[in-house]
DNA sequence: TCAGATAAGTTGAGGATTCAAGTACAAGGT
DNA sequence: ACCTTGTACTTGAATCCTCAACTTATCTGA
């Protein structure tokens, strides 16, 4: 038998499989749930809500495209398309960066802010109902820690490298 | 001041926000990571891999469309499109259900099985590296439990209602 | 100062997903 | 038998995302 060179990969144990399935199912269900809720009540998918929320917390409600993409952990391309759409809705506008002619700011408009404010309660409610109302404080803490670790491991190596325009 | 009737929603506490952000970031990063890995190495997104895996574990590698959709926690529509694509690749085929003329089976082909087998090691490896290698057994257990609870809460009420064709 | 390498951002094509609507069949009651 | 309601699944259009290619501008080093 000629199997010496065939590395059998290390499969997931039963325990691990249960955890992994829970992950796949929970995330599928929750993303769908939030997308549907926001689409219905505010006319945007979850990620667009997050985008508006990010901008709303930034100084002057404005962020450079790249910085926004990094905070949201999405590609620049995806962000470009998203901002284009939100711009059409009048919820975000762009502005050139004076110090770097390649650069663009995405800016939350007043209308965008007001849409966000309207959407927020329903969204928070959905999150609370799906997640926080069901988990004990200990469970919440453990969940957060585990996810934090996973996120850190997937972060592009030098995500924390200084953005030039922040010095 | 006329604010008596304006229910201020219960916002997330700082603790809760940290957990929620970890959730949003970790799931975004991980889905992207797995999608990219599988797209590169096997020519399909993560969900399609899961679909093949589900079929591979079913008796005779076949499942009714609705049942498959329920196991995967996706809509029938999404499944229809997905199976159509996988069928074009020759990885899945359909077959009419004899006892219910509306029904369809999705069946994993030999070619699909072999593609799955080829993709599995790389995928398991990616999952292990991103998740299980980074978490202690206790953390894994806690993560699984929390996600399990979240999933249960979002499951359509009667998901466990007997499918007629299973009696 | 100038060529190459990098960075910021956009674009378009090809897939994937959602939603609403549609087809075809089954079940249940009268 | 017939009609109504519900189930199984598909379809098409609109939207969204990915990937690779592209434009424009900045940086780096000789």
């Amino acid at each position: 038998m000629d199997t010496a060179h065939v590395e059998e990969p290390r499969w997931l144990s039963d325990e691990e499989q249960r955890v992994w399935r829970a992950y796949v199912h929970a995330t599928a269900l929750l993303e769908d749930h939030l997308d549907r809720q926001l689409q219905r009540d505010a006319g945007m998918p979850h990620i667009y809500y997050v985008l508006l929320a990010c901008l709303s917390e930034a100084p002057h409600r404005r962020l450079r495209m790249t910085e926004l993409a990094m905070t949201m952990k999405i590609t620049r391309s995806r962000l470009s398309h998203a901002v284009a759409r939100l711009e059409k809705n009048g919820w975000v506008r762009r502005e050139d960066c004076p110090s770097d002619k390649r650069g663009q700011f995405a800016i939350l408009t007043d209308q965008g802010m007001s849409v966000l404010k309207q959407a927020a309660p329903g969204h928070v409610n959905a999150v609370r109902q799906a997640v926080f109302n069901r988990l004990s404080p200990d469970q919440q803490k453990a969940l957060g820690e585990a996810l934090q670790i996973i996120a850190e491991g997937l972060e592009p190596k030098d995500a924390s490298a200084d953005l030039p325009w922040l010095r």
Side-chain angles (χ1 to χ4, degrees), chain A residues 38-39 41-45 47-49 51-52 55 80-94 107-116 119:
Chain A
L38 277 166
Q39 194 72 59
D41 297 355
M44 64 184 133
I47 184 99
Y48 287 23
Y49 174 93
L51 201 165
L52 297 187
L55 286 178
S80 257
H81 288 296
V83 167
R85 201 272 230 177
L86 292 173
E87 201 174 20
K88 242 176 241 158
N89 290 25
W91 300 344
V92 168
R93 67 189 170 78
R94 297 181 209 238
I107 304 165
L108 184 63
T109 64
D110 289 347
Q111 200 192 337
M113 190 62 175
S114 116
V115 166
L116 179 61

Side-chain angles (χ1 to χ4, degrees), chain A residues 50-167:
Chain A
V50 175
L51 201 165
L52 297 187
C54 278
L55 286 178
S56 79
E57 292 173 2
H60 303 297
R61 309 198 316 213
R62 72 169 47 205
L63 240 27
R64 283 286 294 271
M65 293 295 279
T66 294
E67 201 175 355
L68 183 49
M70 289 177 83
T71 1
M72 297 188 57
K73 281 114 176 68
I74 63 175
T75 62
R76 291 210 248 301
S77 171
R78 189 176 177 184
L79 179 62
S80 257
H81 288 296
V83 167
R85 201 272 230 177
L86 292 173
E87 201 174 20
K88 242 176 241 158
N89 290 25
W91 300 344
V92 168
R93 67 189 170 78
R94 297 181 209 238
E95 203 168 283
D96 292 343
C97 174
S99 63
D100 183 339
K101 284 177 191 161
R102 296 167 305 178
Q104 288 274 105
F105 284 101
I107 304 165
L108 184 63
T109 64
D110 289 347
Q111 200 192 337
M113 190 62 175
S114 116
V115 166
L116 179 61
K117 275 185 180 152
Q118 284 225 304
H123 174 62
V124 171
N125 194 48
V127 170
R128 192 172 278 298
Q129 235 179 284
V131 178
F132 294 103
N133 284 354
R134 299 186 187 284
L135 300 178
S136 73
D138 280 357
Q139 287 174 320
Q140 293 175 23
K141 186 152 167 282
L143 176 65
E145 277 168 13
L147 291 170
Q148 179 67 44
I149 292 172
I150 293 172
E152 276 163 13
L154 294 167
E155 211 89 52
K157 305 115 224 52
D158 53 357
S160 63
D162 7 24
L163 281 336
W165 56 82
L166 294 179
R167 163 89 16 73

